[in-house]
Amino acid sequence: DPAQPIDPNQYRFTTHYLENPDWDPIVNSIKGSILARPDSKVKVIFVPTYLNKTDGIFNKDYYELLVGMDVTVFASYYEPWGYTPLESIAFGIPTITTNLAGFGMWAKKTVSGDNLSEGVEVINRTDFNYFEVADAIMNSILALSQKDATDIEEIKQRCFDLARKAEWSKFIDYYLTAFDIAMRHAEERNS
């Protein structure tokens, strides 16, 4: 069976060995799903390694691979900020994130976040809506796949425009203010 790995100790969808594949949440999500079926139109390639040009598969760093993507998805349950979706839009790649990521919260204040055509789609995520989130991601990717080249170029430009609003020069004042507040509180505690 060509879908089975040559080495039975390696999970068939991974490019690298996993220490405990039976405990891996990604492996367990794939097992038994439609993605594991030979007739699935979606092909899974799970790359459980840090992309640093020495992974033995791509031999490229993250940014070299990022520019070849059509869309990224970071459906975080919790992320204080989330640089990966920001990196995506900075490279002109539209991204899907959630309202539980700091970046998603910022994006909702900057654009509506309701449609990937803005460059970022922010999906509402709670403790109890896993399947709704999965459906929203699917629908967003499907809608993007039906766009023509002109639409894709416009979305790419919206990504660049949005990323410029998150440049360090625009955020540094908030960090300086937070630092000043922290220093004042530290001085008050020490006096």
Side-chain angles (χ1 to χ4, degrees):
D1 177 7
Q4 292 299 321
I6 294 170
D7 183 344
N9 294 320
Q10 183 175 350
Y11 184 61
R12 71 181 184 155
F13 295 112
T14 62
T15 57
H16 295 72
Y17 285 98
L18 294 172
E19 189 170 332
N20 294 306
D22 292 336
W23 293 96
D24 188 272
I26 295 171
V27 167
N28 287 322
S29 293
I30 296 168
K31 282 182 182 176
S33 78
I34 193 170
L35 296 173
R37 291 180 20 194
D39 62 335
S40 174
K41 292 182 180 181
V42 175
K43 303 305 178 199
V44 175
I45 303 172
F46 176 23
V47 185
T49 188
Y50 187 74
L51 300 172
N52 62 4
K53 293 190 177 193
T54 62
D55 58 76
I57 301 295
F58 300 113
N59 295 325
K60 296 187 179 300
D61 68 26
Y62 171 73
Y63 298 107
E64 291 174 301
L65 287 171
L66 179 61
V67 297
M69 295 182 188
D70 296 315
V71 62
T72 58
V73 178
F74 302 100
S76 300
Y77 183 78
Y78 169 74
E79 184 73 43
W81 171 248
Y83 279 102
T84 46
L86 175 56
E87 291 167 339
S88 292
I89 64 169
F91 280 85
I93 311 300
T95 192
I96 301 168
T97 187
T98 71
N99 62 314
L100 299 180
F103 176 80
M105 292 168 34
W106 172 83
K108 286 287 283 181
K109 292 177 183 175
T110 310
V111 295
S112 78
D114 295 336
N115 192 305
L116 195 55
S117 291
E118 296 178 313
V120 175
E121 182 166 345
V122 181
I123 296 173
N124 183 44
R125 185 155 183 200
T126 69
D127 288 336
F128 309 105
N129 70 340
Y130 175 88
F131 293 106
E132 290 88 359
V133 170
D135 285 344
I137 292 168
M138 176 197 64
N139 290 330
S140 184
I141 293 172
L142 182 61
L144 182 68
S145 74
Q146 296 169 344
K147 303 280 186 193
D148 64 23
T150 302
D151 292 335
I152 296 295
E153 187 55 37
E154 289 173 2
I155 293 169
K156 186 175 196 165
Q157 288 306 310
R158 288 185 198 113
C159 288
F160 290 140
D161 293 343
L162 186 57
R164 279 191 279 283
K165 294 177 181 177
E167 290 175 350
W168 183 243
S169 63
K170 307 239 182 352
F171 285 168
I172 191 156
D173 289 338
Y174 299 113
Y175 285 87
L176 293 173
T177 300
F179 181 78
D180 286 342
I181 292 169
M183 289 304 292
R184 274 188 270 124
H185 285 282
E187 287 172 5
E188 289 170 9
R189 282 191 304 269
N190 291 332
S191 47

